[in-house]
Amino acid sequence: MVPAIETARLRLRGFTAADLPQFEAMLGDPQVMRHIGGRALSREESWRRIACNHGLWALVGYGYWVVERKDDGVILGQIGFADFKRAMTPSIEGLPEMGWVLGAHAHGQGFATEAVRAGLDWADANLSGQDVVAIIAPDNEPSIRVAEKVGFGDPCPAEYHGEPIILFRRPSRQV
């Protein structure tokens, strides 16, 4: 159900139950989670994220992939799309929202940009010409750079859970 994607260095694939230990470590790292809710997640919360990521594909026809390095199978993080029905201003409900998170061991090596580009290529071919949005914390400069490199623009201030965020939009590029 989840399409596999390969790039020069990466494999994007669906989640499995066996991914829990690596995701528990990544999502339990306060450094990794500082811009995504601001706190480390527990084992239970990590499992719920995996289950949610898997379920998105069945519910909306898109979702998240595990990002792993092809040469050794090490999990680097996750990227993908969701419609989380966020109660935010302005509303993005109904639009594919792209998100990404990589473990600290994968930062600064171009993996996020490579994986996000691959995900956007998939979206261009499969999401019927829909624009894609991304919300990023204003102080998350590495993610802002990734977003800008892959074509997200029109940054505008937004609010989610009473906190300021930046809403980016990438126009559809049908192939």
Side-chain angles (χ1 to χ4, degrees):
M1 169 163 62
V2 179
I5 299 172
E6 291 201 4
T7 69
R9 301 181 295 165
L10 306 174
R11 179 176 301 106
L12 281 59
R13 61 162 177 83
F15 283 81
T16 69
D19 296 328
L20 179 59
Q22 291 180 77
F23 274 92
E24 178 184 6
M26 182 182 77
L27 299 177
D29 182 343
Q31 177 73 9
V32 170
M33 298 303 293
R34 73 187 183 282
H35 298 297
I36 308 170
R39 67 175 183 80
L41 300 186
S42 68
R43 176 179 176 82
E44 176 184 346
E45 291 167 316
S46 298
W47 176 250
R48 287 178 189 263
R49 287 267 178 113
I50 288 173
C52 174
N53 291 340
H54 186 74
L56 282 166
W57 288 97
L59 291 172
V60 295
Y62 50 82
Y64 276 76
W65 290 274
V66 171
V67 177
E68 66 182 14
R69 205 167 35 218
K70 279 187 353 185
D71 65 357
D72 60 9
V74 168
I75 292 177
L76 304 176
Q78 67 179 28
I79 70 110
F81 305 94
D83 180 355
F84 289 127
K85 309 294 186 203
R86 293 185 192 274
M88 61 174 274
T89 305
S91 176
I92 59 172
E93 189 167 334
L95 293 172
E97 173 193 341
M98 188 165 208
W100 54 88
V101 59
L102 273 70
H105 64 286
H107 291 176
Q109 300 172 61
F111 293 127
T113 300
E114 186 174 335
V116 170
R117 277 192 179 122
L120 287 168
D121 288 346
W122 178 89
D124 290 341
N126 293 280
L127 295 184
S128 303
Q130 295 184 67
D131 289 357
V132 176
V133 295
I135 61 172
I136 302 175
D139 59 345
N140 189 346
E141 293 176 19
S143 278
I144 291 170
R145 283 193 304 274
V146 169
E148 290 170 341
K149 282 183 207 175
V150 300
F152 282 94
D154 296 328
C156 70
E159 186 175 299
Y160 180 59
H161 287 280
E163 296 292 324
I165 57 168
I166 302 172
L167 174 61
F168 289 86
R169 182 176 296 269
R170 180 184 173 270
S172 165
R173 297 182 184 154
Q174 288 185 327
V175 292

